[in-house]
Amino acid sequence: KSGNGQVSLGQTGTGDLAAEVRQADSVVAAAGVLNIITADRVKPGAAGLDVGGSRVTDPATGKSRVAGDVAADVAEVAGWVSPNPGGVGPMTRALLLINVVLAAERQAASA
């Protein structure tokens, strides 16, 4: 079975989070901690999926923007990194709406 995989879960309180992340072929970061995943924590060629979101204020302009858990330097090491913002959010909303419609159709059919 060449397709087997192991799923590990880490959190901000995980002992050596960097060592855990360095072993992963795919990293899904959803801690809501700005730049918790940096290039030195990622295995070369790994995929990085940035789900986390933090609001960052630009001190020069005072404007805020959304930034993710995966630091920009990860793109130099990883094989692929999702954009944040603009990556997971639109897909999550689209699938949520699909599930709402399917649930409504099932409920209407059983009524």
Side-chain angles (χ1 to χ4, degrees):
K1 294 184 175 185
S2 64
N4 290 340
Q6 179 177 334
V7 176
S8 298
L9 177 66
Q11 57 169 318
T12 56
T14 297
D16 191 352
L17 182 61
E20 293 291 327
V21 173
R22 248 183 249 108
Q23 296 178 36
D25 294 321
S26 298
V27 176
V28 179
V33 177
L34 182 66
N35 298 333
I36 192 170
I37 305 298
T38 54
D40 62 323
R41 292 183 167 200
V42 176
K43 177 196 265 186
L49 186 59
D50 193 347
V51 182
S54 299
R55 191 147 298 276
V56 179
T57 302
D58 182 338
T61 64
K63 293 185 178 182
S64 64
R65 63 179 176 83
V66 174
D69 290 354
V70 178
D73 66 349
V74 171
E76 300 168 12
V77 178
W80 179 84
V81 178
S82 69
N84 190 338
V88 175
M91 183 59 68
T92 302
R93 288 190 297 273
L95 291 173
L96 176 63
L97 288 174
I98 288 170
N99 287 333
V100 167
V101 169
L102 291 173
E105 288 174 344
R106 280 193 299 272
Q107 186 175 15
S110 66

